[in-house]
Amino acid sequence: DAYVSLAKKEQPYANFYASIENDGFALVTLLRGKALNYEPNYMRLVVPQNYFNLNKSTVEALVSAVDFEATLKIVLDSYYAKYFAKAQTPEETIAAAEKAFKKAVVQHAKSSAISETFNVGSPLAFLTQKETEVYNLTVLSLGVDAAMKPDEIRNQLLI
């Protein structure tokens, strides 16, 4: 709704952020629901009804899929396939996808911070970079506190 209420000339600057947040949430939620064997009707209620790079038939196919593997196969044929890679467990697959979505948003914010002056893209890029800083600082402090190895901590960082 907030995206639609933006001025038409501002929407292209917010499109990437909104599409990743909205569609990424829908895909990850549906995969998580399938991994936990949630009822399809419940998942229909949970996922957003507006999409950017997904269509209703794809979302319905995801909701109606038999299990996690069938759902993942549909996702791997979607626009967002590049954010997903099959891991050893469904939980690892979902976690890797969430991290890939976050990294994509951070990369977009970094690359567009200078070119997007005087439009909605500037504050979105700034907020994304600050969220990433907070996330990385939290990972560092928790990793040091838990006496994790530097490589383990580095693997958890977004950048």
Side-chain angles (χ1 to χ4, degrees):
D1 292 334
Y3 175 81
V4 174
S5 66
L6 279 175
K8 291 288 183 202
K9 67 178 184 174
E10 295 291 331
Q11 286 182 357
Y13 299 107
N15 187 38
F16 181 82
Y17 298 100
S19 66
I20 290 291
E21 285 295 323
N22 190 72
D23 293 353
F25 173 79
L27 292 171
V28 168
T29 300
L30 289 169
L31 282 169
R32 188 172 282 123
K34 287 298 177 178
L36 297 171
N37 291 322
Y38 283 174
E39 179 70 28
N41 289 327
Y42 175 73
M43 289 194 300
R44 277 186 194 91
L45 295 173
V46 175
V47 296
Q49 297 303 307
N50 298 320
Y51 314 106
F52 289 83
N53 296 310
L54 294 173
N55 56 44
K56 283 201 179 278
S57 62
T58 302
V59 173
E60 185 55 34
L62 291 166
V63 169
S64 303
V66 178
D67 60 6
F68 178 83
E69 295 299 323
T71 307
L72 182 60
K73 187 175 186 312
I74 295 167
V75 169
L76 292 175
D77 290 333
S78 75
Y79 174 85
Y80 294 101
K82 64 185 172 190
Y83 300 106
F84 291 87
K86 184 159 174 36
Q88 290 183 350
T89 66
E91 293 80 13
E92 290 173 356
T93 301
I94 294 166
E98 288 177 315
K99 190 170 183 177
F101 280 123
K102 286 180 185 176
K103 280 187 173 187
V105 170
V106 170
Q107 283 304 113
H108 181 77
K110 284 178 138 186
S111 67
S112 63
I114 294 173
S115 65
E116 293 187 358
T117 9
F118 307 120
N119 61 49
V120 74
S122 295
L124 288 173
F126 177 78
L127 288 173
T128 299
Q129 290 176 349
K130 291 302 167 191
E131 285 175 354
T132 303
E133 271 183 49
V134 169
Y135 175 86
N136 285 341
L137 288 171
T138 303
V139 166
L140 285 170
S141 62
L142 291 174
V144 169
D145 188 47
M148 292 173 68
K149 294 179 181 173
D151 287 341
E152 291 173 343
I153 295 172
R154 216 173 283 118
N155 287 339
Q156 298 297 319
L157 297 175
L158 286 178
I159 50 173

